[in-house]
Amino acid sequence: MGYVAVKGGQDAIENAIKLVDYFRWKGRTKPIELDQARTQMRLAVDRAMGEGSLYAPEHAALALLQVEGDSFEAAFHLRAYRATLERRYDAEILNTREMFVHRRISSTFRDIPGGQILGPTRDYSFRLLNPALLNASLGSIEKFLSDLRDEIDPNKLHEMTTYKKVIDIFLKEGLMSSQARPGEDRRVFDVTREAIKFPVPRSATLQMLARAETGALMCMAYSTMRGFGMAHGTVGELRVGEVPVRVVDKRGRLRCVGKIKVSEAEMVGGSGHGQGEGGGRAAKKTGAPRYSIGYGLCFGQNETKAICMGMVESALRNPNSDNPANNQEFVLYHTEVIEGYGFTNHLKLPHYVTFQAGMEGARRVARKNSDKAEQVTVSAGGVEENND
Amino acid sequence: MTADGICVRGIHPRANRLVRAPGLEKGTDSGMTANLVNRNSHETGELGLGPDYTLCECELEPLKQLVARLERASQVEVRKSPSVCLTMIPAEDSLEKQKFFLGEALTTECEVAVDGLPGFGLCLGDEPVRAYCIAVVDALLHGDRPAPIEVEAFLREQGEAVARRDQDEFDLVLQTQVDFKLMEEE
C-alpha cells in the first residue's frame, strides 16, 4: 500500500499555535524578563545548555521561556539554533585544573587538597516549600546580599586559587595509572560531524553522554547500582565552577574569549580492565589493585548529570550484555534527548494510512474467522439435522 | 589553609594568553595546597589578568565609552561586521587524557582596522558591541606603536574591578569550606 498525501488543517495549526500563547497570557501575569529567567532559573538554563549541547545562557533562557519550561523542547530549540550556525573555531582543550571553583567535594577522603567546599547546594537542606519566596522584593534581595557580606568570616579568606585534584593523591600512591588502556580506541570522534557506528571510540561515548538527557542518564546510572551492574562508584571529586576558554584567532594568537561554567565528576572505582567491572587492575610493581575513574563533564551546574555520566562511562568501558547500562548501543541511543523525544512525539502525528492498513488486515482476519465459524455452525447444524 | 598555598589564574597582559604571571612561584606541596602561588599580585598592581579576560568580563558601558573616545581619535574601519558563530570546546578526561568534544559555545567575532592596524575581537555569547570594542582595543594593543595611555589605564582599572568582583565571589564561596571536627572533639 502506498502513502496518500493529505492536506488541510493549516488553519487549525495556526490557531493551535495562537492557543499556546492564549494559555500563556490568559492570566495576564507580568512577562518574565530574560535576565530573570537566566538568573533565577539558572539550573534549568544549565540543563538546557547541556542537553542542547550549546553554551549560550541567554539563548537557553529564551528557549525555556518560549517553551514554558519544557526541558526537552528547550534542548530541541537550542540544537535547532545551533544547526543554523557555522563552526568557525575550535577551542584549546579545556583545563579544569584552572577552574574558579564554586564547589568541590569528595566522598573518598575527608581531607582533600584545599579542603571541601560545599558551594551553592541544596544537598544538606530540607525539601520544604519556602513561602518566604512569595514575598521576595528588590529590597529584601538587597538586604540579603548585604547581610551575606556582613557575615563573612575574615579568618576563612584567602586569595583566589586553583586546586589540586583528588586523583593526584591516588596517582602519588601508585593506586591509579594515567596510562590508556591497551587496545582501547582513542580516536577523537565528533558525533556532530560523522555518523556513529558501534562500537564507537571512547571520545564519542564521552561526547554523547555530555549531551545526553539528564533523566535518561540517571536511569542508566541508577540501574548499575541497583542490580543491573556491579558498580557503585564513589565520588572521588565533584567540582562545579568556571573555566577559561581560549581559541587561536586568525592571526595565530591564543586568546581568552571568556569562561564557561561546568560540572565535573571523577567517579572512583576499580579499573575493571581485564578483571571485570569492580575489580582492580593490579599495579605491575606492587601487585596492589588499582583504581580508575569514570569521567563526567557537562555544561553548567548539573551535578546529577556529571555523576551519572561518570558512572555510565565507567560501565560502558566494561561491556556486559546482561546489563543495559553496560551496552554501548543501548545507552547511547536511548539517552540521546532529541532522538528519544522526537521519536516519542512523532507518535502524535497522523498514522492514518499505516494504522488503517493494520486495521484492514485485522478486519479481514475477523471476517475470515467469522465465515469459518458460520461454516462450522452450518455443518454442525447439518449433523444435528442428520441426527434428527 | 594559609595564603602560602594558593595560586591565581593569570593571563599575561602582553602575551595575551593565560600563562603564569610575573611573581608567580611554585607553591609548597604540603598535600593540601595548589600548585602555583602569587603572593604579591595585588600589592604590585600586577593582577595577572590579561586584556582579553578583562575585555570579556568587564561591564559593557565603560568599554563602549572608551571605544567611542578612541573612534574620535582614530580611523576605524570595520573589515568584518560582528557575527555569531560556534566554537567547539574540547575537553579531556582528567586521568588518561582522552580528548573529546564537550559541546559548542556561542561566540561573536569581529574584525576591524584602526588606522590601518588590524584588530580582532572574539568573545563568548551573542555580543556584537563587545566583540567590536575588543577588536578596536586589540588593534591598538598589538600594533607597531605603544598602546594609548587611555587604553592601558582602562585595562588596569577594569582589570582590577574584574579581579575584585571575582575575589568577592570567591570570598563567599570560601565561607562554605568545611571545617571537619572529629566527634570526640565536640
Side-chain angles (χ1 to χ4, degrees):
Chain A
M1 178 180 282
Y3 286 98
V4 181
V6 290
K7 196 167 133 162
Q10 193 57 40
D11 289 345
I13 289 169
E14 281 166 15
N15 289 334
I17 293 166
K18 283 181 194 160
L19 205 60
V20 169
D21 285 336
Y22 167 75
F23 277 99
R24 183 203 295 267
W25 299 123
K26 72 171 186 173
R28 292 177 176 78
T29 53
K30 218 170 160 184
I32 303 169
E33 289 175 17
L34 190 68
D35 270 354
Q36 290 176 321
R38 183 176 56 79
T39 57
Q40 294 179 44
M41 303 293 284
R42 64 184 175 87
L43 298 181
V45 167
D46 286 354
R47 180 172 170 172
M49 291 195 297
E51 294 170 3
S53 199
L54 179 68
Y55 197 92
E58 281 78 17
H59 291 70
L62 175 63
L64 281 163
L65 279 179
Q66 190 178 329
V67 302
E68 301 171 88
D70 184 328
S71 67
F72 297 116
E73 278 288 345
F76 203 162
H77 279 66
L78 284 181
R79 294 254 189 122
Y81 176 59
R82 174 211 158 271
T84 66
L85 299 170
E86 185 186 348
R87 186 192 297 172
R88 294 186 198 144
Y89 297 94
D90 283 290
E92 296 290 295
I93 294 174
L94 212 60
N95 181 1
T96 55
R97 283 179 183 268
E98 292 179 333
M99 186 184 286
F100 168 23
V101 165
H102 292 173
R103 167 164 163 78
R104 69 187 291 261
I105 53 163
S106 172
S107 312
T108 48
F109 302 104
R110 187 188 65 183
D111 293 323
I112 57 172
Q116 308 231 13
I117 296 172
L118 302 184
T121 181
R122 291 187 179 83
D123 283 357
Y124 314 99
S125 56
F126 294 113
R127 266 61 175 187
L128 299 174
L129 290 175
N130 178 14
L133 267 181
L134 300 174
N135 301 319
S137 64
L138 281 177
S140 66
I141 292 166
E142 283 301 335
K143 186 175 181 316
F144 165 77
L145 293 173
S146 151
D147 289 351
L148 199 61
R149 291 252 153 250
D150 293 344
E151 287 165 14
I152 285 180
D153 176 359
N155 295 320
K156 287 187 171 178
L157 301 184
H158 58 71
E159 274 185 281
M160 273 186 71
T161 179
T162 56
Y163 293 93
K164 281 187 171 181
K165 289 207 166 196
V166 170
I167 57 166
D168 295 343
I169 300 171
F170 289 93
L171 285 166
K172 203 172 172 185
E173 283 193 39
L175 290 172
M176 232 177 229
S177 168
S178 55
Q179 282 185 346
R181 293 187 188 180
E184 192 167 56
D185 188 347
R186 284 181 66 84
R187 279 177 300 146
V188 181
F189 193 91
D190 185 354
V191 300
T192 66
R193 293 289 162 99
E194 272 183 87
I196 55 169
K197 197 175 157 194
F198 292 102
V200 296
R202 185 171 174 230
S203 61
T205 298
L206 287 164
Q207 185 182 11
M208 290 188 77
L209 294 179
R211 54 199 258 137
E213 203 270 323
T214 307
L217 205 52
M218 187 174 73
C219 165
M220 291 294 150
Y222 185 42
S223 75
T224 67
M225 296 182 272
R226 256 210 77 254
F228 294 88
M230 296 186 292
H232 190 300
T234 311
V235 176
E237 186 166 355
L238 174 69
R239 283 183 177 207
V240 179
E242 291 170 323
V243 186
V245 177
R246 301 180 200 96
V247 301
V248 175
D249 73 13
K250 286 178 182 168
R251 289 161 68 189
R253 294 172 303 145
L254 196 61
R255 310 279 300 270
C256 175
V257 294
K259 55 189 181 182
I260 60 168
K261 194 199 286 179
V262 293
S263 300
E264 181 184 46
E266 285 149 1
M267 302 299 295
V268 176
S271 79
H273 173 251
Q275 293 195 15
E277 192 178 343
R281 176 173 45 157
K284 270 184 192 166
K285 281 185 187 166
T286 62
R290 272 190 172 157
Y291 292 94
S292 185
I293 60 161
Y295 189 68
L297 184 71
C298 60
F299 284 153
Q301 183 170 7
N302 191 344
E303 297 164 25
T304 304
K305 181 170 181 177
I307 289 171
C308 293
M309 177 175 167
M311 296 285 301
V312 172
E313 198 263 324
S314 183
L316 290 178
R317 293 180 87 183
N318 298 285
N320 180 345
S321 55
D322 291 341
N323 305 319
N326 292 75
N327 183 322
Q328 201 182 59
E329 185 172 347
F330 187 87
V331 170
L332 298 183
Y333 270 154
H334 297 109
T335 56
E336 165 46 44
V337 54
I338 305 306
E339 301 263 351
Y341 179 68
F343 200 88
T344 307
N345 278 276
H346 106 279
L347 298 176
K348 296 185 285 191
L349 296 174
H351 283 66
Y352 309 139
V353 176
T354 42
F355 194 77
Q356 284 301 320
M359 264 188 83
E360 193 49 50
R363 283 179 185 136
R364 213 177 301 129
V365 172
R367 267 199 306 273
K368 209 180 267 178
N369 288 345
S370 156
D371 289 350
K372 268 188 196 163
E374 267 176 35
Q375 280 172 6
V376 171
T377 311
V378 170
S379 58
V383 170
E384 275 173 18
E385 277 175 19
N386 288 342
N387 285 344
D388 285 344
Chain B
M1 177 160 168
T2 65
D4 287 339
I6 61 169
C7 72
V8 295
R9 294 171 303 132
I11 306 172
H12 193 283
R14 278 296 177 193
N16 213 9
R17 56 173 68 197
L18 272 166
V19 293
R20 194 180 302 176
L24 289 181
E25 306 160 26
K26 278 278 179 194
T28 50
D29 185 0
S30 64
M32 289 287 287
T33 59
N35 47 358
L36 296 170
V37 295
N38 183 4
R39 293 193 187 94
N40 57 0
S41 61
H42 289 275
E43 287 89 330
T44 59
E46 173 55 79
L47 294 168
L49 294 170
D52 281 329
Y53 181 77
T54 301
L55 294 168
C56 289
E57 293 290 323
C58 71
E59 293 292 328
L60 186 57
E61 202 47 45
L63 179 60
K64 273 165 66 179
Q65 287 168 9
L66 168 76
V67 171
R69 290 194 295 275
L70 296 172
E71 280 173 332
R72 285 196 285 274
S74 314
Q75 188 68 39
V76 180
E77 177 201 342
V78 178
R79 290 191 171 162
K80 188 175 181 187
S81 299
S83 61
V84 285
C85 61
L86 297 174
T87 296
M88 176 50 96
I89 301 179
E92 60 185 15
D93 92 272
S94 41
L95 186 63
E96 295 172 29
K97 308 294 176 198
Q98 168 65 61
K99 181 181 171 184
F100 69 99
F101 295 112
L102 177 63
E104 286 155 315
L106 191 66
T107 310
T108 309
E109 65 169 359
C110 176
E111 258 179 276
V112 300
V114 180
D115 296 334
L117 300 168
F120 204 78
L122 267 172
C123 59
L124 293 181
D126 185 356
E127 296 244 34
V129 177
R130 189 181 294 275
Y132 167 76
C133 293
I134 293 174
V136 172
V137 174
D138 180 58
L140 293 167
L141 275 179
H142 296 96
D144 48 8
R145 60 192 182 204
I149 295 168
E150 193 181 8
V151 172
E152 296 281 13
F154 175 86
L155 289 171
R156 194 167 47 249
E157 199 177 288
Q158 289 300 319
E160 284 170 2
V162 170
R164 208 163 37 242
R165 183 204 65 191
D166 287 352
Q167 182 68 52
D168 282 353
E169 197 164 282
F170 191 63
D171 290 349
L172 292 173
V173 167
L174 284 176
Q175 302 305 303
T176 68
Q177 186 153 6
V178 183
D179 177 19
F180 280 113
K181 285 188 178 67
L182 297 179
M183 301 292 256
E184 305 89 75
E185 292 173 2
E186 287 294 320

